[in-house]
Amino acid sequence: MFPGGGQPDLAQLMKQAQQMQQQLVAAQEELAAREVTGTAGGGLVSATMTGGGDLTALTIAPDAVDPDDLETLQDLVVAAVRDAKRAVDQLAADTMGPLAGGLGGGPGGGLGLPGL
């Protein structure tokens, strides 16, 4: 049942849905515009990614390059990219988290509709 026993105000529900959609689009745009950096090997290798997960830069310090041990360098690159991805995931959670609570944070998906 709805509070007061009446029908839901569909115009109000549509307005709320439109506001949530606008907030979601704004958050996605903000996320795509931001960059994060992950590092490995004490900063010997760093990877920069956008909030959307695109790798935009990879920096390798000369000290990380040993022609006789490429496997370690490869591991450092993978670790730096993974660290950057972890940072992207955290940024997304921080940016989108408040909106996600309104989309499905309880009965009615945050829109006040029971059972939906």
Side-chain angles (χ1 to χ4, degrees):
M1 283 287 136
F2 295 101
Q7 293 294 318
D9 182 350
L10 292 180
Q12 183 63 28
L13 290 175
M14 289 299 296
K15 184 177 176 181
Q16 286 177 337
Q18 287 174 338
Q19 288 173 341
M20 288 174 59
Q21 177 66 27
Q22 290 171 347
Q23 291 171 342
L24 184 61
V25 168
Q28 288 171 331
E29 289 173 354
E30 175 189 344
L31 192 58
R34 302 218 14 220
E35 286 189 335
V36 297
T37 300
T39 61
L44 290 174
V45 177
S46 65
T48 302
M49 298 180 103
T50 66
D54 293 326
L55 183 65
T56 59
L58 184 68
T59 304
I60 301 172
D63 292 345
V65 181
D66 179 356
D68 296 325
D69 186 14
L70 290 179
E71 188 174 321
T72 297
L73 178 57
Q74 292 165 347
D75 290 343
L76 289 172
V77 169
V78 169
V81 171
R82 283 184 180 158
D83 189 45
K85 177 66 170 115
R86 180 207 45 78
V88 165
D89 292 344
Q90 183 62 51
L91 178 64
D94 293 346
T95 303
M96 306 296 273
L99 296 174
L103 294 173
L111 295 175
L113 298 174
L116 295 179

